[in-house]
Amino acid sequence: IKPLSWPSQWTRISRARDRSPRPALPPPLPLLPAGPAQLLAMLQPIGFGTSYIRIERLMEKYPDKGLQLSSLQLISNAAAACAWLAFTAATVPDALGDAAAALSQPPVVAGVLYTGLVSTALAVLLQTRALGKIPATDSSVIAATEPLWAAGFAALLLGENLPDEAKLGGALILLGCLANDKLPETLVAPKGDE
């Protein structure tokens, strides 16, 4: 990862922490994660960034294998979802009964199909193809703008009022993207000059 992209990556990590569920009591130190949900939310951008780098390298090595690589990613997503389902079924009373009741409703089935086919499978396929054409660091910076798009469309289409914290977070994301794109590489000392 280019050192100039670190500000945008840190912004992604801090924004992921802000989107995670909050406990009933505030954490003792506001800059530290308050629990497992915040830790998972902070690790998520690191996982995505790492996967972008690996996908980029694999696409360079096997440029004709984008569909197969996408399939492997979706199989791993399905395995993680099944593991989560098994964990939930083992730890939450009547979780499977609640899930079955929810899936008996057509709107829920439509939502699950849309999430699986469009926002997961199609997104993974397009992302894999894109990572074959642009560097992983640039793709990661582009992905960092996802909260901006979500908030922008919510404000535009649904009349959502954005709190000042959301506006500040959006400004930080844009600042990180601009820093990654516009700051000269000479601001970072090359390896060996430290």
Side-chain angles (χ1 to χ4, degrees), residues 102-155:
L103 288 173
S104 68
Q105 302 171 36
V108 173
V109 173
V112 169
L113 287 174
Y114 178 84
T115 301
L117 296 174
V118 177
S119 63
T120 302
L122 181 61
V124 166
L125 180 62
L126 294 175
Q127 168 193 309
T128 302
R129 294 199 181 230
L131 284 170
K133 300 183 185 324
I134 64 172
T137 51
D138 291 346
S139 177
S140 186
V141 170
I142 292 168
T145 65
E146 180 266 330
L148 293 177
W149 292 101
F153 280 117

Side-chain angles (χ1 to χ4, degrees), residues 36-59:
Q38 284 77 17
L39 179 61
L40 181 61
M42 289 178 67
L43 290 175
Q44 187 178 13
I46 295 169
F48 276 115
T50 304
S51 74
Y52 293 165
I53 292 168
R54 292 185 60 147
I55 293 167
E56 177 188 21
R57 289 181 183 155
L58 287 169
M59 287 300 293

Side-chain angles (χ1 to χ4, degrees), residues 58-83:
L58 287 169
M59 287 300 293
E60 287 173 0
K61 191 174 180 180
Y62 306 105
D64 313 356
K65 304 293 183 187
L67 186 59
Q68 291 89 338
L69 184 56
S70 296
S71 298
L72 290 173
Q73 292 175 72
L74 292 171
I75 289 169
S76 69
N77 286 353
C82 289

Side-chain angles (χ1 to χ4, degrees), residues 79-90:
C82 289
W84 188 263
L85 176 64
F87 173 77
T88 303

